[in-house]
């Protein structure tokens, strides 16, 4: 593969299956240099397939800590399988950080589904380390099954340790009713809405907030597909 500016090598140090049913893996890499990113951001992973460059984004699930990089990903197709199949000591190429799915000043409501919880896990890790808390945050966390509420213990710990952080694991069918309650409770100014997940989950929720008067600038949105 031709050399690309800013490209870094990451070496797989640990891997762990988080859910057999959804084939979700946590991969821990050691990078060749310390990483500098904001919790919630992603890196672009790059490889070549039949002479063509392939690039996929993966959110980091931990607060910055030197050369350590933690991903949480589903086996969804070619590239993600390649990463999940890497042996310990195997390498991947990536560059970054990128992305605007980061915490802003003031109150917020976060809605995340399935593996879309990855960038929020990074934010919670930072809050637990006492880094950059900006205001009361309520996290609505949904998944297909309870076993797929990844990083649940971290969020429960954050709820106990970080004032103003609320954690609500719930069924996807209960999200809208819970949001109605939360926005009535919050009043004005409107809390920032943070939405992340696959498009089928995230796009209707973005519309839900817009229908209730949220400006697009008050919605921090990241879709995975
Ligand atoms: C900003 C950003 C951050 C992302 N962060 C993550 C992350 O932290 N973890 C992660 O697993 N993915 C993440 N993704 C998705 C990732 O970049 C790839 O699209 C995904 O791994 C599929 O690539 P693939 O080559 O394996 O399969 P492809 O052949 O490219 O896609 C196969 C199918 O998988 C669907 N798909 C895409 N992402 C997922 C997913 N996560 N779970 C199930 N189906 C999916 C696609 O809609 C497509 O239909 C992120 C995407 C973006 C844009």
């Amino acid at each position: 593969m031709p050399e690309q500016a800013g490209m870094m090598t990451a070496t797989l140090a640990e891997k762990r299956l988080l859910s057999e049913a959804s084939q979700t893996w946590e991969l821990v890499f050691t990078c060749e240099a310390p990483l500098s990113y904001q919790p919630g951001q992603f890196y672009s992973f790059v490889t070549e397939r039949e002479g063509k460059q392939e690039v996929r984004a993966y959110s980091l699930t931990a607060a910055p800590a030197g050369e350590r990089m933690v991903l949480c990903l589903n086996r969804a197709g070619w590239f993600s399988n390649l990463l999940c199949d890497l042996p310990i000591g195997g390498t991947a190429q990536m560059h970054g950080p990128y992305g605007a799915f980061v915490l802003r000043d003031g109150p917020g409501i976060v809605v995340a589904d399935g593996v879309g919880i990855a960038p929020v896990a990074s934010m919670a890790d930072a809050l637990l380390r006492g880094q950059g808390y900006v205001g009361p945050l309520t996290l609505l966390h949904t998944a297909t099954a309870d076993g797929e509420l990844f990083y649940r213990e971290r969020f429960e710990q954050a709820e106990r340790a970080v004032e103003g952080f609320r954690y609500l694991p719930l069924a996807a069918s209960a999200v809208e009713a819970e949001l109605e309650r939360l926005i009535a409770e919050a009043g004005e100014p409107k809390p920032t809405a943070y939405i992340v997940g696959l498009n089928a989950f995230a796009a209707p929720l973005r519309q839900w907030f817009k229908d209730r008067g949220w400006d697009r600038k008050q919605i921090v949105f990241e879709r995975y597909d």
Side-chain angles (χ1 to χ4, degrees), residues 207-223:
Q207 191 56 47
W208 188 95
F209 278 99
K210 284 185 179 166
D211 291 345
R212 282 154 186 81
W214 263 252
D215 186 84
R216 47 191 284 274
K217 294 197 198 90
Q218 296 169 301
I219 303 175
V220 183
F221 181 80
E222 190 154 85
R223 49 176 279 195

Side-chain angles (χ1 to χ4, degrees), residues 186-217:
E188 296 289 338
K190 292 182 170 56
T192 301
Y194 301 84
I195 306 164
V196 54
L198 292 176
N199 196 45
F201 169 83
L205 280 173
R206 176 165 59 175
Q207 191 56 47
W208 188 95
F209 278 99
K210 284 185 179 166
D211 291 345
R212 282 154 186 81
W214 263 252
D215 186 84
R216 47 191 284 274
K217 294 197 198 90

Side-chain angles (χ1 to χ4, degrees), residues 16-35:
R16 180 162 79 96
L17 183 62
L18 298 184
S19 163
E20 178 74 43
S22 60
Q23 278 300 309
T24 306
W25 288 81
E26 183 180 74
L27 305 182
V28 182
F29 289 92
T30 304
C31 301
E32 61 185 309
L35 301 181

